[in-house]
Amino acid sequence: MRTPVLSCLLFFSFLAVAVAQPAALPAPIIVETQHVSVVLTVGENQKLYQTYLGTKLTDAADYLRLPNRHEAYVTAGTDNLFEPAIRLLHPDGNPSLALVFVDKQVSKKDDNVTETTIRLRDPQYPVEVVLHFAAFFREDVIKTWTEIRHREKKPVVLTSYASAMLHFDAREYWLTQFHGDWAEEAQQQESRLTSGIKVIDTKLGTRANWYQTPAFFLGLDQAATETTGEVLAGTLAWTGNFRLAFELDNQNALRVSAGINPYASEYHLPANQTFTTPEFIFTYSGQGKGQASRNLHRWARRYGVLDGTQPRLTLLNNWESTFFNFNEQKLDTIIGDAAKLGVDLFLLDDGWFSNKYPRNSDQVGLGDWQASKLKLPNGIGHLVQTASKEGVKFGIWVEPEMVNPKSELYEKHPDWVLKLPNRPEDYYRGQLVLDMTNPRVQDFVFKTIDEQFSQGVAYIKWDCNRMMTNAYSPHLRKDQTHLYVDYVRGLYQVLDRVRQKYPHVPMMLCSGGGSRTDYGGLKYFTEFWPSDNTDALERIYIQWGYSNFFPSNTLASHVTNWNRQHSLKFRTDVAMMGKLGYDLEVAQLTPPELQFSQQAVRDYKRLSPVIWQGNLFRLRSPYEGNQAALVYVAENQRQAVLFGYNLHTRFLETVLPVKLQGLDPTKRYKLTEINLMPGQKSELAANGQVYSGDYLMKVGVVLTDREAKPLTSHVLELTAE
């Protein structure tokens, strides 16, 4: 029998041991989709680490073996030696931030979407950072964003605030980026990352994607192909200045940060307010870029684009046939031509508005959104009625964020414009930018759109032809570093109001071509205008570039007369790989050309479910030879549409068969060439033939005539028997 003293000693010894034991660390935080996992772990120092990003491991217990090498969301001002995800200045002048784990929450939004929220806190200052991860299980896509808030007595100053930071350990890294200029958007460029930091960014404010596209592929260990290699595809959902940074450190580890560009954008955050970053959307593939693209396409159609699973409208635009030179009678005739062509909608472009300063050029009238009494004496309502009688819908062009100094709007509200005090006004296209941080300007822009829709307008092309220069907001006053951020927020507030009142009316996101190509804007729009360049050859490259990240039903692709040396068939075949439209003089088409175009529209409407909702396989890249080829395959694999384009092929160039992808190897497919001119017979050996899916994917078919004539094309419909 123990003595009381010994029992007490044993009790206190046990108590001391129990107190000395460290608290159990939380289990790994696993953000996962059907095939992909991101794993975060809390270390003994209570910091959050990213320990894994890649193909999902079979046994979740294996995640416990992963080392804590990379702090997940790196702060500035303490022991970090490389690019931080976040930097802020406290009211007491302390420029540091430390973050430790507080808790996590996991909520299942539905049978496909799970959101994981991780709360971090500074142990010395009342600052919290909340990391959000939304996992889309079936699409293998993860969306991440950050919330920053505090309870200090005065505002903290945010000087860097990334939406995401991801870490990688590989032998080497290959970056595929997309860049360009007006009329040469989304040009593909690939390079191996070397020691140091590579930054892709923009400081243009409004036309943010003019020179750089906020999207990339990152190949791990080797340059990924369409079908092989580990690759991350990422894009930022923000219609403003962005920054993508890729930093390779002294140990060959790579950290990738993505978010709003903090250039000239220090943000003063008051207590108890939340700064929410835009969403960074990414997917991982172990089977090359093509699978990563299809992941993003499936996600975008369901979650990223307005009504992405719904039909789109084919249209006829008047711009290239009339420019500013039209009247009511001429438009009535063109609306009739739209009906004759067989499209769903007529789109009236620039030049329809302003009375004091008639809009006969791009130098006057912008901002005065009243129908021109000279050109349209019976107003927009008359054109809506004409369209209705012809059995088509009516759409209209607007550029509501901009103003010409020679306008009534500018005369009445010079304080609504972004311009520096004590500096001369700086014009581009004779325009200035309206101050979208100002609620009165937001009301004006909403009213502009509301008035059009209330007249029966069924489609809007929303343009933005001006970047920010000499930018100063009279409304923001002392908070000028908020301009680039709050402008976009103001734009989104207007678009939110538009969509609350008109949730499903289609709109095209345009910005002098592809200067706004992001999922921040596309959640309000049904499609975007990839480029003002509609030369069919150039459009193959442009549309190819955008197809890496955006589904075909978002890429507005028009048949035009930009380059009349290209045959009408070639121009049509290129436009049919996206969302088909026309911008040419229907009345000038010869009878065979009109007959061809009418049949092309009918075929496109019949096949559009496959083109818009099917899986895209890029088969032969224009960057790798003189031919381009791609195929859209229906989900049930019973139907497909195959496009082949000869570029600048040489005389009698040898063209090898194109091996298809995505088909059912056990099914047999009949191949039928469509888009043939009246009286033209197919020159393809495969036309009318039946092949097994296995044959088509292992052997393939030749997509050219025997001479391999340059600037020719072929479209084949595949139907399972």
Side-chain angles (χ1 to χ4, degrees):
M1 180 176 178
R2 292 195 183 112
T3 64
V5 173
L6 182 58
S7 296
C8 288
L9 289 173
L10 289 171
F11 172 77
F12 283 114
S13 297
F14 171 79
L15 183 62
V17 170
V19 171
Q21 292 290 333
L25 294 174
I29 302 167
I30 303 172
V31 179
E32 62 182 3
T33 64
Q34 187 173 3
H35 301 106
V36 178
S37 292
V38 175
V39 181
L40 302 130
T41 304
V42 180
E44 293 184 359
N45 58 4
Q46 297 301 304
K47 290 185 176 183
L48 183 71
Y49 293 88
Q50 179 198 307
T51 55
Y52 186 75
L53 194 168
T55 303
K56 184 161 62 177
L57 301 184
T58 304
D59 187 351
D62 288 340
Y63 293 130
L64 294 168
R65 302 175 179 273
L66 298 168
N68 296 347
R69 285 197 61 196
H70 307 297
E71 189 175 351
Y73 196 76
V74 181
T75 63
T78 54
D79 59 353
N80 169 53
L81 300 178
F82 295 96
E83 187 77 3
I86 183 170
R87 181 182 182 275
L88 59 77
L89 181 67
H90 298 278
D92 65 3
N94 191 329
S96 67
L97 181 68
L99 294 175
V100 297
F101 176 80
V102 178
D103 57 34
K104 74 171 175 74
Q105 292 183 345
V106 179
S107 60
K108 199 165 181 60
K109 303 299 182 182
D110 54 38
D111 66 348
N112 189 52
V113 184
T114 302
E115 185 175 326
T116 301
T117 302
I118 304 170
R119 191 157 56 105
L120 309 175
R121 180 183 296 158
D122 190 308
Q124 300 298 326
Y125 288 86
V127 178
E128 283 190 349
V129 173
V130 183
L131 307 181
H132 294 262
F133 296 86
F136 299 82
F137 186 80
R138 288 188 289 271
E139 293 79 15
D140 283 327
V141 166
I142 296 172
K143 183 173 69 175
T144 181
W145 68 99
T146 303
E147 291 182 321
I148 305 163
R149 52 180 174 254
H150 72 94
R151 290 180 287 104
E152 301 202 36
K153 293 181 180 179
K154 295 181 179 180
V156 302
V157 181
L158 301 174
T159 60
S160 292
Y161 31 88
S163 297
M165 177 169 276
L166 301 176
H167 303 267
F168 302 90
D169 291 290
R171 184 178 65 255
E172 58 187 28
Y173 309 89
W174 288 83
L175 178 67
T176 306
Q177 64 186 93
F178 299 83
H179 69 101
D181 200 339
W182 178 81
E184 52 178 344
E185 292 87 346
Q187 302 300 301
Q188 184 173 312
Q189 190 174 50
E190 188 168 45
S191 59
R192 186 172 68 86
L193 292 174
T194 57
S195 180
I197 187 166
K198 163 82 172 183
V199 173
I200 301 171
D201 73 347
T202 179
K203 305 176 182 68
L204 302 176
T206 43
R207 295 185 67 186
N209 307 350
W210 190 355
Y211 301 134
Q212 302 292 340
T213 302
F216 65 90
F217 286 123
L218 178 67
L220 305 175
D221 287 325
Q222 61 185 358
T225 70
E226 280 291 318
T227 56
T228 64
E230 293 183 73
V231 63
L232 181 103
T235 185
L236 187 71
W238 181 246
T239 317
N241 289 349
F242 63 86
R243 186 176 189 268
L244 308 172
F246 307 83
E247 186 169 30
L248 195 58
D249 69 15
N250 55 309
Q251 296 183 340
N252 207 51
L254 180 70
R255 65 174 62 172
V256 178
S257 59
I260 296 172
N261 192 341
Y263 165 78
S265 296
E266 293 183 351
Y267 209 90
H268 298 75
L269 183 65
N272 300 313
Q273 291 189 16
T274 300
F275 185 95
T276 303
T277 70
E279 297 159 346
F280 177 68
I281 301 148
F282 68 93
T283 185
Y284 168 89
S285 164
Q287 300 172 312
K289 297 174 182 176
Q291 185 60 55
S293 291
R294 289 186 289 277
N295 292 348
L296 288 173
H297 294 170
R298 284 195 297 271
W299 171 85
R301 288 191 292 262
R302 287 196 63 190
Y303 301 101
V305 180
L306 182 69
D307 293 335
T309 60
Q310 300 304 307
R312 298 293 194 251
L313 299 172
T314 55
L315 61 83
L316 174 66
N317 193 0
N318 70 300
W319 178 246
E320 290 198 20
S321 61
T322 68
F323 296 101
F324 294 101
N325 184 26
F326 57 81
N327 56 30
E328 188 173 88
Q329 183 179 2
K330 191 170 189 177
L331 293 180
D332 283 344
T333 301
I334 297 175
I335 292 171
D337 289 339
K340 183 187 301 183
L341 185 61
V343 296
D344 304 306
L345 176 136
F346 168 73
L347 172 60
L348 173 59
D349 216 287
D350 196 356
W352 59 269
F353 52 90
S354 190
N355 287 294
K356 183 176 180 179
Y357 302 103
R359 180 72 169 178
N360 295 318
S361 76
D362 61 9
Q363 300 297 304
V364 299
L366 197 62
D368 300 342
W369 300 107
Q370 308 86 31
S372 166
K373 295 177 182 178
L374 183 63
K375 293 181 180 179
L376 307 175
N378 295 298
I380 296 299
H382 168 82
L383 298 176
V384 172
Q385 290 178 356
T386 300
S388 179
K389 290 176 184 177
E390 294 287 355
V392 298
K393 297 179 182 294
F394 178 81
I396 206 163
W397 176 96
V398 294
E399 191 176 0
E401 300 163 65
M402 307 293 155
V403 64
N404 289 129
K406 198 170 184 179
S407 67
E408 290 186 86
L409 178 66
Y410 183 80
E411 291 174 349
K412 293 176 182 177
H413 301 288
D415 57 320
W416 284 11
V417 172
L418 297 179
K419 58 179 180 178
L420 284 169
N422 304 317
R423 302 287 184 194
E425 291 182 348
D426 183 61
Y427 304 129
Y428 180 80
R429 283 175 53 104
Q431 296 177 199
L432 293 168
V433 182
L434 292 177
D435 184 1
M436 291 294 290
T437 71
N438 186 335
R440 294 176 64 196
V441 173
Q442 295 171 24
D443 289 342
F444 168 79
V445 174
F446 171 76
K447 182 180 178 183
T448 297
I449 303 302
D450 187 33
E451 285 179 347
Q452 303 313 314
F453 283 152
S454 66
Q455 297 180 84
V457 169
Y459 180 99
I460 276 183
K461 178 181 178 181
W462 184 307
D463 213 339
C464 171
N465 286 298
R466 176 74 158 86
M467 67 293 184
M468 288 186 191
T469 57
N470 288 22
Y472 176 94
S473 164
H475 174 73
L476 290 176
R477 298 180 182 177
K478 63 182 180 62
D479 291 325
Q480 291 302 314
T481 59
H482 293 196
L483 174 58
Y484 288 123
V485 174
D486 286 353
Y487 184 98
V488 179
R489 289 177 171 175
L491 173 63
Y492 289 167
Q493 287 169 8
V494 172
L495 291 169
D496 281 330
R497 292 173 64 185
V498 170
R499 285 311 176 195
Q500 286 168 11
K501 189 168 183 180
Y502 306 99
H504 300 293
V505 181
M507 295 199 303
M508 179 199 292
L509 179 60
C510 182
S511 186
S515 295
R516 280 181 168 173
T517 50
D518 64 87
Y519 284 114
L522 278 173
K523 66 182 178 182
Y524 303 104
F525 291 83
T526 49
E527 61 223 57
F528 69 91
W529 184 236
S531 178
D532 283 345
N533 187 344
T534 52
D535 177 287
L537 176 64
E538 297 298 332
R539 266 300 184 115
I540 290 174
Y541 290 90
I542 292 167
Q543 293 168 192
W544 191 275
Y546 283 125
S547 77
N548 287 286
F549 304 96
F550 303 100
S552 60
N553 63 347
T554 66
L555 272 64
S557 310
H558 293 183
V559 182
T560 78
N561 288 326
W562 179 293
N563 189 337
R564 293 175 183 266
Q565 293 180 341
H566 297 161
S567 71
L568 179 63
K569 171 178 168 50
F570 185 68
R571 287 177 272 154
T572 303
D573 289 354
V574 171
M576 281 183 68
M577 69 185 277
K579 203 225 75 172
L580 178 66
Y582 287 80
D583 195 338
L584 45 69
E585 293 180 83
V586 175
Q588 296 299 315
L589 296 175
T590 66
E593 289 175 334
L594 177 60
Q595 182 182 343
F596 165 81
S597 299
Q598 290 169 329
Q599 185 61 48
V601 171
R602 287 193 290 268
D603 283 339
Y604 183 80
K605 289 184 176 182
R606 179 173 56 83
L607 297 171
S608 59
V610 181
I611 297 171
W612 295 341
Q613 304 297 327
N615 290 313
L616 168 63
F617 296 86
R618 293 182 293 268
L619 307 174
R620 188 163 287 172
S621 171
Y623 288 92
E624 297 172 2
N626 283 330
Q627 191 179 48
L630 62 150
V631 64
Y632 294 99
V633 182
E635 284 285 351
N636 62 12
Q637 298 176 300
R638 296 198 57 81
Q639 200 172 15
V641 185
L642 174 63
F643 295 86
Y645 306 103
N646 284 338
L647 309 179
H648 289 301
T649 43
R650 303 291 299 276
F651 178 67
L652 295 179
E653 179 172 335
T654 300
V655 179
L656 297 175
V658 174
K659 297 177 183 179
L660 277 64
Q661 299 172 37
L663 303 177
D664 183 338
T666 66
K667 285 185 169 64
R668 296 184 63 77
Y669 295 89
K670 182 177 181 180
L671 275 62
T672 305
E673 184 171 10
I674 62 172
N675 278 17
L676 295 171
M677 295 296 293
Q680 180 185 5
K681 294 183 178 180
S682 174
E683 297 178 310
L684 298 183
N687 180 56
Q689 302 299 309
V690 178
Y691 303 90
S692 70
D694 188 55
Y695 179 94
L696 290 170
M697 292 190 290
K698 291 178 179 176
V699 179
V701 292
V702 176
L703 286 179
T704 183
D705 60 277
R706 292 182 179 179
E707 296 180 19
K709 292 187 288 290
L711 302 177
T712 57
S713 53
H714 301 274
V715 182
L716 288 166
E717 178 182 356
L718 282 71
T719 307
E721 294 193 328

